[in-house]
Amino acid sequence: MTTPTCLLVALALANTGACLPAVSPTNGFDASAAEHWKRVEPAVVTSPDGTNTTVFNPATGQIIAQGSATDGGGVDFSVPAIIWLAFVFAVGAPLALVGIRLWRVTTGAGVGLAATVCVWAAFVNTVSADGLSDLVLTVITLGAFVVGFLIGVLNIGRLVGILLLGGLGGASFGVRIILLRPGLLIPLYVGNWLVITVFIVLGLGAIVYRQRFGLVSSCAAVGTFLVGLGVDLILNKQSGMSIGLRFLFDRNNAHYLAIVRQGYHPPVVTQIILGASLGAIPVLAFAQHKIFSAPFRPKSKEQEFDTASVSEEQVALNQEKEPEKEPEARIATPATSKLSLLGSRFSTS
């Protein structure tokens, strides 16, 4: 890990005890986590024996039914969890290692991942307490990736894919910094998204003004984020980065107890994975830049053949014209001498 990354991880670990949200002794409600809620804070009533907890809207008095808030991630190593594991490694590893050389695959991944995040966030924030099964939500989300990937592969989606990849690279960097600290980096929920927005703008700016630098950095950033998420899912299952991402993205009132009451308390292993993945970004970006020096968009074989054939034909034509002039000159010389000889004879006669 680089020195700045080590400092970030050390700071997060040192502040873990001091930054843990306080828990009420009466009902176990995470008071500091409620500060991250974007809507009017629901009221929570717990029975004296602690067996029944009810959430209701203080403005209307209506009870808010609560769901499990697994958000399609599954439990332990269930089928949805295994699907997500395969997905993050299948997409993340190539981007982290050779993303700058994959061209259409890379632009397709940019559009596909952006569609995946948007569709997933939209569903988890709007489903009811009953919600959708994890498998159905996983299929819908990954279906959005397939559609976005196909768009990014086509000519019409390549530029969009490059820009989205830059934004995703910045977002993945910002999200990891936010998740380093228990309860998120900034106590004010909106402040965390402002930090992420700044990194998104930086990622887009790098793509626009220094495209190759932006591409290798974004490929490394997105790839290491996905690989780090996969490693964390194996080691911590849904209690590490998974709950952190749900705590950051899921603001559904039907998930209030499952998200806000539980809060976000990353294990030390998760913080180490986050820091290591951040430190790997410049290393992998520099390696891709040095190893794969060719342009991001390679020349097609057809273009190379056409270019070569035109130049070769031009050279051949030049070579053919040059020897043709020599015999003409050689032929013209005796003809001119004969004419001059005849002229001299006629003049003498």
Side-chain angles (χ1 to χ4, degrees):
M1 289 187 287
T2 60
T3 301
T5 303
C6 294
L7 292 176
L8 283 173
V9 175
L11 180 62
L13 294 175
N15 291 334
T16 299
C19 298
L20 286 176
V23 179
S24 172
T26 56
N27 55 15
F29 177 69
D30 192 342
S32 76
E35 297 176 0
H36 297 282
W37 208 249
K38 70 176 182 180
R39 301 188 177 102
V40 176
E41 180 184 336
V44 180
V45 177
T46 304
S47 60
D49 57 2
T51 58
N52 186 21
T53 302
T54 304
V55 179
F56 65 92
N57 190 325
T60 62
Q62 295 180 345
I63 295 177
I64 303 174
Q66 297 297 295
S68 61
T70 53
D71 292 344
V75 179
D76 293 334
F77 290 112
S78 61
V79 173
I82 294 175
I83 293 175
W84 279 111
L85 270 175
F87 172 77
V88 295
F89 281 119
V91 179
L95 285 177
L97 298 176
V98 293
I100 193 65
R101 293 301 299 145
L102 296 180
W103 189 37
R104 291 180 184 268
V105 175
T106 300
T107 57
V111 180
L113 289 172
T116 301
V117 173
C118 292
V119 170
W120 176 77
F123 270 93
V124 300
N125 280 282
T126 56
V127 294
S128 61
D130 296 333
L132 299 172
S133 68
D134 288 338
L135 184 58
V136 171
L137 184 55
T138 299
V139 171
I140 293 174
T141 305
L142 296 186
F145 173 83
V146 173
V147 174
F149 181 85
L150 294 176
I151 294 174
V153 167
L154 300 175
N155 292 337
I156 192 174
R158 286 207 302 267
L159 178 60
V160 176
I162 292 173
L163 292 174
L164 288 176
L165 186 65
L168 288 171
S172 68
F173 192 92
V175 166
R176 276 176 282 188
I177 291 178
I178 296 297
L179 296 182
L180 272 173
R181 187 178 183 273
L184 302 184
L185 182 66
I186 301 176
L188 182 64
Y189 176 76
V190 177
N192 296 287
W193 279 106
L194 290 177
V195 172
I196 295 172
T197 302
V198 170
F199 282 104
I200 292 175
V201 173
L202 291 175
L204 289 172
I207 289 290
V208 172
Y209 293 103
R210 292 289 186 272
Q211 188 181 84
R212 183 170 178 83
F213 170 78
L215 282 170
V216 294
S217 301
S218 297
C219 289
V222 175
T224 53
F225 176 85
L226 293 175
V227 172
L229 177 59
V231 173
D232 187 79
L233 287 173
I234 294 174
L235 298 178
N236 299 309
K237 301 180 177 65
Q238 288 75 35
S239 62
M241 287 181 65
S242 175
I243 185 61
L245 292 172
R246 283 179 282 151
F247 189 78
L248 180 62
F249 282 90
D250 189 352
R251 299 288 125 177
N252 192 333
N253 279 338
H255 300 159
Y256 186 77
L257 283 180
I259 299 295
V260 175
R261 185 177 184 180
Q262 180 177 347
Y264 172 57
H265 313 286
V268 174
V269 175
T270 296
Q271 293 176 310
I272 293 174
I273 292 173
L274 288 169
S277 65
L278 287 171
I281 293 175
V283 176
L284 293 176
F286 183 76
Q288 288 195 44
H289 171 66
K290 286 297 184 181
I291 297 173
F292 308 108
S293 58
F296 176 65
R297 180 179 179 178
K299 294 181 179 179
S300 64
K301 293 182 179 179
E302 183 178 357
Q303 290 176 337
E304 292 176 354
F305 175 79
D306 291 340
T307 304
S309 62
V310 170
S311 60
E312 289 173 359
E313 289 177 358
Q314 188 65 34
V315 172
L317 287 174
N318 292 335
Q319 292 176 350
E320 290 177 358
K321 290 179 180 179
E322 290 176 358
E324 285 178 356
K325 292 180 180 178
E326 293 178 358
E328 287 180 359
R330 292 173 184 173
I331 295 172
T333 301
T336 306
S337 60
K338 290 180 180 180
L339 288 174
S340 59
L341 179 61
L342 289 173
S344 63
R345 288 180 180 178
F346 283 119
S347 60
T348 53
S349 62

